[in-house]
Structures are given as C-alpha cells and as structure tokens.
Amino acid sequence: MEVELETLQKQIESLTTTQPADLGKSQGDMASLQLQYESLDADLGKSKSELDDLQKRYDELDGKSDRINNKNEKELQDVRVQLGKVTKESESNKKDSKRSKDQLLDVKGHASGNPV
C-alpha cells in the first residue's frame, strides 16, 4: 500500500508540475489560433466587401448594356422599316418605268405606222 501511495504521490506531483506548463502551452496555442481566426475573419470581411463592390459594378454595367441593346434594337427596327418603304418605292418605280417604256414603245410604233 505504501508503494501505491508513493506512486500516486509521484503521479500527483507529475501532474501538478507539468500541468502549468501544458496549460501555458495550450493558452499560447489558443491565443495563436484566436489571432489566426481574427485575421481570417478580417480577410473574409474584406473579401465580402470586394465581392459586393464587384456585384454592384456588374449590375451597373449590365443595366448599361441592356439600355444600349434596347437602343440598338430600336434603331435596327427603324432601319428595317425604312428599308421596307424604300423597297416598296423601288418596286413601284420599276413598274412605273416599265409602264412608261411600254407606252413610249407603243407611241413610237403608232408614229411609225407599225403597231407593236
């Protein structure tokens, strides 16, 4: 029993002498981890802020792009309408020219005495 008591006493002394050193090391590790956490948290906050800024800039550019596209679409539609009008006018002019040519040939034929 005396041997067991001595063994227990040595274990207690061992724990009390090493525990403060281990505790100090653990507290140092914990402080180091806390600093790392705070640094990462600050980096995360900065990254979120940068992401928000980028998202805002993207939204601005996207809106600007949409406005430009809408303007271009309207201009294209206007050009198509004008092209349609010009095409109709050209077809009408072709018909008028053909009619005038036919009338001129008819008049020339009658003038020469040879009906066409």
Side-chain angles (χ1 to χ4, degrees):
M1 175 129 176
E2 208 175 289
V3 174
E4 289 178 17
L5 213 67
E6 280 181 30
T7 305
L8 287 175
Q9 185 66 32
K10 285 181 182 179
Q11 286 177 347
I12 290 172
E13 286 175 9
S14 169
L15 288 174
T16 56
T17 57
T18 58
Q19 188 177 13
D22 288 344
L23 183 60
K25 182 179 182 227
S26 294
Q27 287 175 338
D29 290 346
M30 190 170 75
S32 175
L33 288 173
Q34 181 66 30
L35 288 175
Q36 288 177 355
Y37 170 81
E38 289 170 1
S39 175
L40 290 172
D41 191 47
D43 289 346
L44 178 62
K46 183 179 175 185
S47 295
K48 283 182 180 180
S49 177
E50 289 173 357
L51 180 61
D52 289 343
D53 290 344
L54 288 172
Q55 183 65 44
K56 186 186 290 184
R57 182 71 179 136
Y58 171 81
D59 290 343
E60 289 171 1
L61 291 174
D62 193 42
K64 186 176 182 179
S65 174
D66 286 345
R67 288 189 299 277
I68 290 170
N69 284 341
N70 290 339
K71 180 183 174 190
N72 288 342
E73 282 293 326
K74 183 172 180 352
E75 288 177 5
L76 180 60
Q77 186 178 4
D78 291 346
V79 167
R80 284 181 178 154
V81 167
Q82 290 174 355
L83 179 61
K85 288 179 181 178
V86 168
T87 302
K88 285 181 183 178
E89 187 176 335
S90 173
E91 290 297 322
S92 177
N93 288 343
K94 278 184 187 178
K95 288 178 184 176
D96 288 345
S97 293
K98 182 171 179 5
R99 193 175 312 117
S100 295
K101 181 180 175 184
D102 289 346
Q103 287 175 351
L104 181 62
L105 289 175
D106 192 38
V107 169
K108 281 185 179 180
H110 285 298
S112 67
N114 298 329
V116 179

Coordinates of all heavy atoms in Angstrom, one line a residue, residues 23-114:
L23 N -0.6 23.8 -19.6 CA -1.7 24.8 -19.6 C -1.2 26.1 -20.3 O -1.9 26.7 -21.1 CB -2.2 25.2 -18.2 CG -3.3 26.1 -18.1 CD1 -4.5 25.6 -18.8 CD2 -3.6 26.4 -16.6
G24 N 0.0 26.5 -20.0 CA 0.6 27.7 -20.7 C 0.7 27.5 -22.2 O 0.5 28.4 -23.0
K25 N 1.2 26.3 -22.5 CA 1.3 26.0 -24.0 C 0.0 26.0 -24.6 O -0.2 26.6 -25.7 CB 2.0 24.6 -24.1 CG 2.2 24.2 -25.6 CD 2.9 22.9 -25.7 CE 3.1 22.6 -27.2 NZ 2.7 21.3 -27.6
S26 N -1.0 25.4 -24.0 CA -2.4 25.4 -24.5 C -2.9 26.8 -24.7 O -3.6 27.1 -25.6 CB -3.3 24.6 -23.6 OG -2.9 23.2 -23.7
Q27 N -2.7 27.6 -23.6 CA -3.2 29.0 -23.7 C -2.4 29.8 -24.8 O -3.1 30.6 -25.5 CB -2.9 29.7 -22.4 CG -3.9 29.2 -21.3 CD -3.6 29.9 -20.0 OE1 -2.5 30.3 -19.7 NE2 -4.6 29.9 -19.1
G28 N -1.2 29.5 -25.0 CA -0.4 30.1 -26.1 C -1.0 29.7 -27.5 O -1.1 30.5 -28.4
D29 N -1.2 28.4 -27.6 CA -1.8 27.9 -28.8 C -3.2 28.5 -29.1 O -3.5 28.8 -30.2 CB -1.9 26.3 -28.8 CG -0.6 25.6 -28.8 OD1 0.4 26.3 -29.2 OD2 -0.6 24.4 -28.5
M30 N -4.0 28.6 -28.0 CA -5.3 29.2 -28.1 C -5.2 30.6 -28.6 O -5.9 31.1 -29.4 CB -6.0 29.0 -26.8 CG -7.5 29.4 -27.0 SD -8.5 29.0 -25.5 CE -8.0 30.3 -24.4
A31 N -4.3 31.4 -28.0 CA -4.1 32.8 -28.4 C -3.7 32.9 -29.8 O -4.1 33.7 -30.6 CB -3.1 33.4 -27.5
S32 N -2.8 32.0 -30.3 CA -2.3 32.0 -31.7 C -3.5 31.7 -32.6 O -3.7 32.3 -33.6 CB -1.2 30.9 -31.8 OG -0.8 30.8 -33.2
L33 N -4.3 30.7 -32.2 CA -5.5 30.3 -33.0 C -6.5 31.5 -33.1 O -7.1 31.7 -34.1 CB -6.1 29.1 -32.5 CG -5.4 27.8 -32.7 CD1 -6.1 26.6 -32.0 CD2 -5.3 27.4 -34.2
Q34 N -6.6 32.2 -31.9 CA -7.5 33.3 -31.9 C -7.1 34.4 -32.9 O -7.9 35.0 -33.6 CB -7.6 33.9 -30.5 CG -8.6 35.0 -30.3 CD -10.0 34.7 -30.6 OE1 -10.4 33.5 -30.3 NE2 -10.8 35.6 -31.1
L35 N -5.8 34.7 -32.9 CA -5.2 35.7 -33.8 C -5.4 35.2 -35.3 O -5.8 36.1 -36.1 CB -3.7 35.9 -33.6 CG -3.4 36.6 -32.3 CD1 -1.8 36.7 -32.1 CD2 -3.9 38.1 -32.3
Q36 N -5.2 33.9 -35.5 CA -5.4 33.4 -36.9 C -6.9 33.6 -37.3 O -7.2 34.0 -38.4 CB -5.0 32.0 -37.0 CG -3.5 31.8 -37.0 CD -3.1 30.3 -37.0 OE1 -4.0 29.4 -37.0 NE2 -1.8 30.0 -37.1
Y37 N -7.8 33.3 -36.4 CA -9.2 33.4 -36.6 C -9.6 34.8 -36.9 O -10.3 35.1 -37.9 CB -10.0 32.9 -35.4 CG -11.5 33.2 -35.5 CD1 -12.3 32.4 -36.3 CD2 -12.0 34.3 -34.9 CE1 -13.7 32.7 -36.4 CE2 -13.4 34.6 -35.0 CZ -14.2 33.8 -35.7 OH -15.5 34.1 -35.9
E38 N -9.1 35.8 -36.1 CA -9.4 37.2 -36.3 C -8.8 37.7 -37.6 O -9.5 38.5 -38.3 CB -8.8 38.0 -35.1 CG -9.6 37.8 -33.9 CD -8.9 38.4 -32.6 OE1 -7.8 39.1 -32.8 OE2 -9.4 38.3 -31.5
S39 N -7.7 37.2 -38.0 CA -7.1 37.6 -39.3 C -7.9 37.1 -40.5 O -8.2 37.8 -41.4 CB -5.6 37.1 -39.4 OG -5.1 37.3 -40.7
L40 N -8.3 35.8 -40.4 CA -9.2 35.2 -41.4 C -10.5 35.9 -41.5 O -11.1 36.1 -42.5 CB -9.3 33.7 -41.2 CG -8.1 32.9 -41.4 CD1 -8.3 31.4 -41.0 CD2 -7.7 32.9 -42.9
D41 N -11.1 36.2 -40.3 CA -12.3 36.9 -40.2 C -12.3 38.3 -40.9 O -13.2 38.7 -41.7 CB -12.8 37.0 -38.8 CG -14.3 37.5 -38.7 OD1 -15.1 36.9 -39.4 OD2 -14.5 38.4 -37.9
A42 N -11.2 39.0 -40.7 CA -11.0 40.3 -41.3 C -10.8 40.1 -42.8 O -11.4 40.9 -43.6 CB -9.7 41.0 -40.7
D43 N -10.1 39.1 -43.2 CA -9.9 38.8 -44.7 C -11.3 38.5 -45.3 O -11.6 38.9 -46.4 CB -9.0 37.7 -44.9 CG -7.5 38.0 -44.6 OD1 -7.2 39.2 -44.5 OD2 -6.7 37.1 -44.5
L44 N -12.1 37.7 -44.6 CA -13.4 37.3 -45.1 C -14.3 38.6 -45.2 O -15.0 38.8 -46.3 CB -14.1 36.3 -44.2 CG -15.5 35.9 -44.5 CD1 -15.5 35.2 -45.9 CD2 -16.1 35.0 -43.5
G45 N -14.2 39.5 -44.3 CA -15.0 40.7 -44.3 C -14.5 41.6 -45.5 O -15.4 42.1 -46.3
K46 N -13.2 41.6 -45.7 CA -12.7 42.4 -46.9 C -13.1 41.8 -48.2 O -13.6 42.5 -49.1 CB -11.2 42.4 -46.8 CG -10.5 43.2 -47.9 CD -9.0 43.2 -47.7 CE -8.3 43.9 -48.9 NZ -6.9 43.9 -48.8
S47 N -13.1 40.4 -48.3 CA -13.5 39.7 -49.5 C -15.0 39.9 -49.8 O -15.4 40.1 -50.9 CB -13.2 38.2 -49.4 OG -11.8 38.0 -49.3
K48 N -15.8 39.9 -48.7 CA -17.2 40.1 -48.9 C -17.5 41.5 -49.4 O -18.3 41.7 -50.3 CB -18.0 39.9 -47.6 CG -18.2 38.5 -47.2 CD -19.0 38.3 -45.9 CE -19.2 36.9 -45.6 NZ -19.9 36.8 -44.3
S49 N -16.8 42.5 -48.9 CA -16.9 43.9 -49.3 C -16.5 44.0 -50.8 O -17.2 44.7 -51.6 CB -16.0 44.8 -48.4 OG -16.1 46.1 -48.9
E50 N -15.4 43.4 -51.2 CA -14.9 43.5 -52.5 C -15.9 42.8 -53.5 O -16.2 43.3 -54.6 CB -13.6 42.8 -52.7 CG -12.4 43.6 -52.1 CD -11.1 42.9 -52.1 OE1 -11.0 41.7 -52.5 OE2 -10.1 43.5 -51.6
L51 N -16.5 41.7 -53.0 CA -17.5 41.0 -53.8 C -18.7 41.8 -54.0 O -19.3 41.9 -55.1 CB -17.9 39.6 -53.1 CG -18.9 38.8 -53.8 CD1 -18.4 38.4 -55.2 CD2 -19.2 37.5 -53.0
D52 N -19.2 42.5 -52.9 CA -20.3 43.4 -53.0 C -20.0 44.5 -54.0 O -20.9 44.9 -54.8 CB -20.7 44.0 -51.7 CG -21.3 43.0 -50.7 OD1 -21.7 41.9 -51.2 OD2 -21.3 43.2 -49.5
D53 N -18.8 45.1 -54.0 CA -18.5 46.1 -54.9 C -18.5 45.6 -56.4 O -19.0 46.3 -57.3 CB -17.1 46.7 -54.6 CG -17.0 47.5 -53.3 OD1 -18.1 47.9 -52.8 OD2 -15.9 47.8 -52.8
L54 N -17.9 44.4 -56.5 CA -17.9 43.8 -57.9 C -19.3 43.6 -58.4 O -19.7 43.8 -59.6 CB -17.1 42.6 -57.9 CG -15.6 42.7 -57.8 CD1 -14.9 41.4 -57.6 CD2 -15.0 43.5 -59.0
Q55 N -20.2 43.1 -57.5 CA -21.6 42.8 -57.9 C -22.3 44.1 -58.2 O -23.0 44.1 -59.2 CB -22.3 42.1 -56.7 CG -23.7 41.7 -57.1 CD -23.8 40.7 -58.1 OE1 -23.1 39.7 -58.1 NE2 -24.7 40.8 -59.1
K56 N -22.1 45.1 -57.5 CA -22.7 46.4 -57.8 C -22.2 46.9 -59.2 O -23.0 47.4 -60.0 CB -22.3 47.5 -56.7 CG -23.0 48.8 -56.9 CD -22.5 49.8 -55.9 CE -23.0 49.5 -54.5 NZ -22.6 50.6 -53.5
R57 N -20.9 46.8 -59.4 CA -20.3 47.3 -60.7 C -20.9 46.4 -61.9 O -21.2 47.0 -62.9 CB -18.8 47.2 -60.7 CG -18.1 47.6 -61.9 CD -18.2 49.1 -62.0 NE -17.5 49.5 -63.2 CZ -17.9 50.4 -64.1 NH1 -19.0 51.0 -63.9 NH2 -17.2 50.7 -65.2
Y58 N -21.0 45.1 -61.6 CA -21.6 44.3 -62.7 C -23.0 44.7 -63.0 O -23.4 44.7 -64.1 CB -21.6 42.8 -62.2 CG -22.3 41.9 -63.1 CD1 -21.7 41.4 -64.3 CD2 -23.6 41.5 -62.8 CE1 -22.5 40.6 -65.1 CE2 -24.3 40.7 -63.7 CZ -23.7 40.2 -64.8 OH -24.5 39.4 -65.7
D59 N -23.8 44.9 -61.9 CA -25.2 45.3 -62.1 C -25.3 46.6 -62.9 O -26.2 46.8 -63.8 CB -25.9 45.5 -60.8 CG -26.1 44.1 -60.1 OD1 -26.0 43.1 -60.7 OD2 -26.4 44.1 -58.8
E60 N -24.4 47.6 -62.6 CA -24.4 48.9 -63.3 C -24.1 48.6 -64.8 O -24.7 49.2 -65.7 CB -23.3 49.8 -62.7 CG -23.7 50.4 -61.4 CD -22.5 51.1 -60.7 OE1 -21.5 51.2 -61.3 OE2 -22.7 51.6 -59.6
L61 N -23.0 47.8 -65.0 CA -22.7 47.5 -66.4 C -23.7 46.8 -67.2 O -24.0 47.0 -68.4 CB -21.3 46.8 -66.5 CG -20.1 47.6 -66.0 CD1 -18.9 46.7 -66.0 CD2 -19.9 48.8 -67.0
D62 N -24.4 45.8 -66.5 CA -25.4 45.0 -67.1 C -26.6 45.9 -67.5 O -27.2 45.8 -68.6 CB -25.8 43.9 -66.1 CG -26.7 42.9 -66.8 OD1 -26.4 42.5 -67.9 OD2 -27.7 42.4 -66.2
G63 N -26.9 46.8 -66.6 CA -28.0 47.8 -66.9 C -27.7 48.7 -68.1 O -28.5 48.9 -68.9
K64 N -26.4 49.1 -68.1 CA -26.0 50.0 -69.2 C -26.0 49.2 -70.5 O -26.5 49.7 -71.5 CB -24.6 50.5 -68.9 CG -24.1 51.4 -69.9 CD -22.7 52.0 -69.5 CE -22.2 53.0 -70.5 NZ -20.9 53.6 -70.1
S65 N -25.6 47.9 -70.4 CA -25.6 47.0 -71.6 C -27.0 46.8 -72.1 O -27.3 46.9 -73.3 CB -24.9 45.7 -71.3 OG -25.1 44.8 -72.3
D66 N -28.0 46.6 -71.2 CA -29.4 46.4 -71.6 C -29.9 47.7 -72.3 O -30.6 47.6 -73.3 CB -30.2 46.1 -70.4 CG -30.0 44.7 -69.9 OD1 -29.4 43.9 -70.6 OD2 -30.4 44.4 -68.7
R67 N -29.6 48.9 -71.7 CA -30.1 50.1 -72.4 C -29.5 50.3 -73.8 O -30.2 50.6 -74.7 CB -29.7 51.3 -71.5 CG -30.5 51.4 -70.2 CD -30.3 52.7 -69.5 NE -28.9 52.9 -69.1 CZ -28.4 52.5 -68.0 NH1 -29.1 51.7 -67.1 NH2 -27.1 52.7 -67.7
I68 N -28.2 50.0 -73.9 CA -27.6 50.1 -75.2 C -28.2 49.1 -76.2 O -28.5 49.4 -77.4 CB -26.0 49.9 -75.1 CG1 -25.4 51.1 -74.4 CG2 -25.4 49.7 -76.5 CD1 -23.9 50.9 -74.1
N69 N -28.4 47.8 -75.7 CA -29.0 46.8 -76.6 C -30.4 47.2 -77.0 O -30.8 47.1 -78.2 CB -29.1 45.5 -75.9 CG -27.7 44.8 -75.9 OD1 -26.8 45.1 -76.6 ND2 -27.6 43.8 -75.0
N70 N -31.2 47.8 -76.1 CA -32.6 48.2 -76.4 C -32.5 49.4 -77.5 O -33.3 49.4 -78.4 CB -33.3 48.7 -75.2 CG -33.6 47.5 -74.3 OD1 -33.7 46.4 -74.7 ND2 -33.9 47.8 -73.0
K71 N -31.6 50.3 -77.3 CA -31.4 51.4 -78.2 C -31.1 50.9 -79.6 O -31.6 51.3 -80.6 CB -30.4 52.4 -77.7 CG -30.1 53.5 -78.7 CD -29.0 54.4 -78.1 CE -28.7 55.5 -79.1 NZ -27.5 56.2 -78.8
N72 N -30.1 49.9 -79.7 CA -29.7 49.3 -80.9 C -30.8 48.6 -81.6 O -31.0 48.6 -82.8 CB -28.5 48.5 -80.7 CG -27.2 49.2 -80.4 OD1 -27.1 50.4 -80.7 ND2 -26.2 48.6 -79.9
E73 N -31.6 47.8 -80.8 CA -32.7 47.1 -81.4 C -33.7 48.1 -82.0 O -34.3 47.8 -83.1 CB -33.4 46.3 -80.3 CG -32.7 45.0 -79.9 CD -32.6 44.0 -81.1 OE1 -33.6 43.9 -81.8 OE2 -31.6 43.3 -81.2
K74 N -34.0 49.2 -81.3 CA -35.0 50.1 -81.9 C -34.4 50.8 -83.2 O -35.2 50.9 -84.1 CB -35.2 51.2 -80.9 CG -36.3 52.2 -81.4 CD -36.7 53.2 -80.3 CE -37.7 54.2 -80.8 NZ -38.1 54.3 -82.1
E75 N -33.1 51.1 -83.2 CA -32.5 51.7 -84.4 C -32.6 50.6 -85.5 O -32.9 51.0 -86.7 CB -31.1 52.1 -84.1 CG -31.0 53.3 -83.3 CD -29.5 53.7 -83.0 OE1 -28.6 53.0 -83.5 OE2 -29.3 54.6 -82.2
L76 N -32.3 49.4 -85.2 CA -32.4 48.3 -86.2 C -33.8 48.2 -86.8 O -34.0 48.0 -88.0 CB -31.9 47.0 -85.7 CG -31.9 45.8 -86.6 CD1 -31.0 46.0 -87.8 CD2 -31.4 44.5 -85.9
Q77 N -34.8 48.2 -85.9 CA -36.2 48.1 -86.3 C -36.5 49.3 -87.2 O -37.2 49.1 -88.2 CB -37.1 48.1 -85.1 CG -38.5 47.9 -85.4 CD -39.4 47.8 -84.1 OE1 -38.9 48.0 -83.0 NE2 -40.6 47.5 -84.3
D78 N -36.1 50.5 -86.8 CA -36.3 51.7 -87.7 C -35.7 51.6 -89.1 O -36.3 51.9 -90.1 CB -35.8 53.0 -87.0 CG -36.6 53.4 -85.7 OD1 -37.7 52.8 -85.5 OD2 -36.1 54.2 -85.0
V79 N -34.5 51.0 -89.1 CA -33.8 50.8 -90.4 C -34.6 49.8 -91.2 O -34.7 50.0 -92.4 CB -32.3 50.4 -90.2 CG1 -31.7 49.9 -91.5 CG2 -31.5 51.5 -89.6
R80 N -35.1 48.7 -90.6 CA -35.8 47.7 -91.3 C -37.1 48.3 -91.9 O -37.5 48.0 -93.1 CB -36.2 46.6 -90.4 CG -35.0 45.7 -90.2 CD -35.4 44.5 -89.3 NE -34.2 43.6 -89.1 CZ -34.1 42.8 -88.0 NH1 -35.0 42.8 -87.1 NH2 -33.0 42.0 -87.9
V81 N -37.8 49.2 -91.1 CA -39.0 49.8 -91.6 C -38.6 50.7 -92.8 O -39.3 50.7 -93.8 CB -39.6 50.7 -90.5 CG1 -40.7 51.6 -91.0 CG2 -40.3 49.7 -89.4
Q82 N -37.5 51.5 -92.7 CA -37.1 52.4 -93.8 C -36.8 51.5 -95.0 O -37.1 51.9 -96.2 CB -35.9 53.2 -93.4 CG -36.3 54.3 -92.4 CD -35.0 55.1 -91.9 OE1 -33.9 54.7 -92.2 NE2 -35.3 56.1 -91.1
L83 N -36.1 50.4 -94.8 CA -35.7 49.6 -95.9 C -37.0 49.0 -96.6 O -37.0 48.9 -97.8 CB -34.8 48.4 -95.4 CG -34.4 47.4 -96.5 CD1 -33.6 48.1 -97.6 CD2 -33.6 46.3 -95.8
G84 N -38.0 48.6 -95.8 CA -39.2 48.2 -96.4 C -39.9 49.2 -97.2 O -40.4 49.0 -98.4
K85 N -39.9 50.5 -96.8 CA -40.5 51.6 -97.5 C -39.8 51.8 -98.8 O -40.4 52.0 -99.9 CB -40.5 52.9 -96.7 CG -41.5 52.8 -95.5 CD -41.4 54.1 -94.7 CE -42.4 54.1 -93.6 NZ -42.3 55.4 -92.8
V86 N -38.4 51.8 -98.7 CA -37.6 52.1 -99.9 C -37.8 50.9 -100.9 O -37.9 51.2 -102.1 CB -36.1 52.2 -99.5 CG1 -35.2 52.2 -100.7 CG2 -35.9 53.5 -98.7
T87 N -37.9 49.7 -100.4 CA -38.1 48.6 -101.3 C -39.4 48.7 -102.1 O -39.5 48.5 -103.3 CB -38.0 47.2 -100.5 OG1 -36.7 47.2 -99.9 CG2 -38.2 46.0 -101.4
K88 N -40.5 49.1 -101.3 CA -41.8 49.2 -102.0 C -41.7 50.4 -103.0 O -42.3 50.2 -104.1 CB -42.8 49.5 -100.9 CG -43.3 48.4 -100.1 CD -44.3 48.7 -99.1 CE -44.7 47.6 -98.2 NZ -45.7 47.9 -97.2
E89 N -41.1 51.4 -102.6 CA -41.0 52.6 -103.5 C -40.2 52.2 -104.8 O -40.5 52.5 -105.9 CB -40.3 53.8 -102.8 CG -40.3 55.0 -103.7 CD -39.7 56.2 -102.9 OE1 -39.7 56.2 -101.7 OE2 -39.2 57.1 -103.6
S90 N -39.1 51.4 -104.6 CA -38.3 50.9 -105.7 C -39.2 50.0 -106.7 O -39.1 50.2 -107.9 CB -37.1 50.2 -105.2 OG -36.4 49.6 -106.3
E91 N -39.9 49.1 -106.1 CA -40.8 48.2 -106.9 C -41.8 49.1 -107.7 O -42.1 48.8 -108.8 CB -41.5 47.2 -106.0 CG -40.6 46.2 -105.4 CD -39.9 45.3 -106.5 OE1 -40.6 45.0 -107.5 OE2 -38.8 44.9 -106.3
S92 N -42.4 50.1 -107.0 CA -43.3 51.0 -107.6 C -42.7 51.7 -108.8 O -43.3 51.8 -109.9 CB -43.9 51.9 -106.6 OG -44.8 52.8 -107.2
N93 N -41.5 52.2 -108.6 CA -40.7 52.9 -109.6 C -40.4 52.0 -110.8 O -40.5 52.4 -112.0 CB -39.5 53.5 -109.1 CG -39.7 54.7 -108.2 OD1 -40.8 55.3 -108.2 ND2 -38.7 55.1 -107.4
K94 N -40.1 50.7 -110.5 CA -39.8 49.8 -111.6 C -41.1 49.6 -112.4 O -41.0 49.6 -113.7 CB -39.4 48.4 -111.0 CG -38.0 48.3 -110.6 CD -37.7 46.9 -110.2 CE -36.4 46.7 -109.6 NZ -36.2 45.3 -109.1
K95 N -42.2 49.5 -111.8 CA -43.5 49.3 -112.5 C -43.8 50.5 -113.3 O -44.2 50.4 -114.5 CB -44.6 49.0 -111.5 CG -44.5 47.6 -110.9 CD -45.7 47.4 -109.9 CE -45.5 46.0 -109.2 NZ -46.5 45.9 -108.2
D96 N -43.6 51.7 -112.7 CA -43.8 52.9 -113.5 C -42.9 53.0 -114.7 O -43.3 53.5 -115.8 CB -43.7 54.2 -112.6 CG -44.8 54.3 -111.5 OD1 -45.8 53.7 -111.7 OD2 -44.6 55.1 -110.6
S97 N -41.6 52.7 -114.5 CA -40.7 52.7 -115.6 C -41.1 51.8 -116.7 O -41.0 52.1 -117.9 CB -39.3 52.4 -115.1 OG -38.8 53.4 -114.2
K98 N -41.5 50.6 -116.3 CA -41.9 49.6 -117.3 C -43.1 50.1 -118.1 O -43.2 50.0 -119.3 CB -42.1 48.2 -116.7 CG -42.5 47.2 -117.7 CD -42.5 45.8 -117.0 CE -42.9 44.7 -117.9 NZ -43.1 44.8 -119.3
R99 N -44.0 50.7 -117.3 CA -45.3 51.2 -117.9 C -44.9 52.3 -118.9 O -45.4 52.4 -120.0 CB -46.2 51.7 -116.9 CG -47.6 51.9 -117.4 CD -48.6 52.3 -116.2 NE -48.6 51.4 -115.1 CZ -48.2 51.8 -113.9 NH1 -47.9 53.0 -113.6 NH2 -48.2 50.9 -112.9
S100 N -44.0 53.2 -118.5 CA -43.6 54.3 -119.3 C -42.9 53.9 -120.6 O -43.1 54.4 -121.7 CB -42.7 55.3 -118.5 OG -43.4 55.9 -117.5
K101 N -42.1 52.9 -120.4 CA -41.3 52.3 -121.5 C -42.3 51.7 -122.5 O -42.2 51.9 -123.7 CB -40.3 51.3 -121.0 CG -39.5 50.7 -122.1 CD -38.5 49.6 -121.5 CE -37.8 48.9 -122.6 NZ -36.9 47.9 -122.1
D102 N -43.2 50.9 -122.0 CA -44.2 50.3 -122.9 C -45.1 51.3 -123.6 O -45.3 51.2 -124.8 CB -45.2 49.4 -122.0 CG -44.5 48.1 -121.6 OD1 -43.4 47.8 -122.1 OD2 -45.0 47.4 -120.6
Q103 N -45.4 52.4 -122.9 CA -46.2 53.5 -123.6 C -45.4 54.2 -124.6 O -45.9 54.5 -125.7 CB -46.7 54.5 -122.5 CG -47.8 54.0 -121.6 CD -48.1 55.0 -120.5 OE1 -47.4 56.0 -120.3 NE2 -49.2 54.7 -119.8
L104 N -44.1 54.4 -124.3 CA -43.2 55.0 -125.3 C -43.0 54.2 -126.5 O -43.1 54.7 -127.7 CB -41.8 55.3 -124.6 CG -40.8 56.0 -125.5 CD1 -41.3 57.4 -125.9 CD2 -39.5 56.2 -124.8
L105 N -42.9 52.9 -126.3 CA -42.7 52.0 -127.5 C -44.0 51.9 -128.3 O -44.0 51.9 -129.5 CB -42.4 50.6 -127.0 CG -40.9 50.4 -126.5 CD1 -40.8 48.9 -125.9 CD2 -39.9 50.6 -127.5
D106 N -45.1 52.0 -127.6 CA -46.4 52.0 -128.2 C -46.6 53.2 -129.1 O -47.1 53.2 -130.2 CB -47.5 51.9 -127.2 CG -48.9 51.6 -127.8 OD1 -48.9 50.8 -128.8 OD2 -49.9 52.1 -127.3
V107 N -46.2 54.4 -128.5 CA -46.3 55.7 -129.2 C -45.4 55.7 -130.4 O -45.8 56.1 -131.5 CB -46.0 56.8 -128.2 CG1 -45.8 58.1 -129.0 CG2 -47.1 57.0 -127.2
K108 N -44.2 55.2 -130.2 CA -43.2 55.1 -131.3 C -43.7 54.2 -132.4 O -43.6 54.4 -133.6 CB -41.8 54.6 -130.9 CG -41.0 55.6 -130.2 CD -39.6 55.0 -129.9 CE -38.7 56.0 -129.2 NZ -37.4 55.4 -128.9
G109 N -44.3 53.1 -132.0 CA -44.9 52.1 -133.0 C -46.0 52.8 -133.8 O -46.1 52.6 -135.0
H110 N -46.9 53.5 -133.1 CA -48.0 54.2 -133.8 C -47.5 55.3 -134.7 O -48.0 55.5 -135.8 CB -49.0 54.7 -132.8 CG -49.9 53.7 -132.2 ND1 -50.8 52.9 -132.9 CD2 -50.0 53.2 -130.9 CE1 -51.4 52.0 -132.1 NE2 -50.9 52.2 -130.9
A111 N -46.5 56.0 -134.3 CA -45.9 57.1 -135.0 C -45.3 56.6 -136.3 O -45.3 57.3 -137.3 CB -44.9 57.9 -134.2
S112 N -44.7 55.4 -136.2 CA -44.0 54.9 -137.4 C -45.0 54.1 -138.3 O -44.7 53.7 -139.4 CB -42.9 54.0 -137.1 OG -43.3 52.8 -136.4
G113 N -46.2 54.0 -137.8 CA -47.2 53.3 -138.6 C -47.2 51.8 -138.4 O -47.9 51.1 -139.0
N114 N -46.3 51.3 -137.5 CA -46.3 49.9 -137.2 C -46.7 49.6 -135.8 O -46.0 49.9 -134.9 CB -44.8 49.3 -137.3 CG -44.3 49.5 -138.7 OD1 -45.1 49.4 -139.7 ND2 -43.0 49.6 -138.9

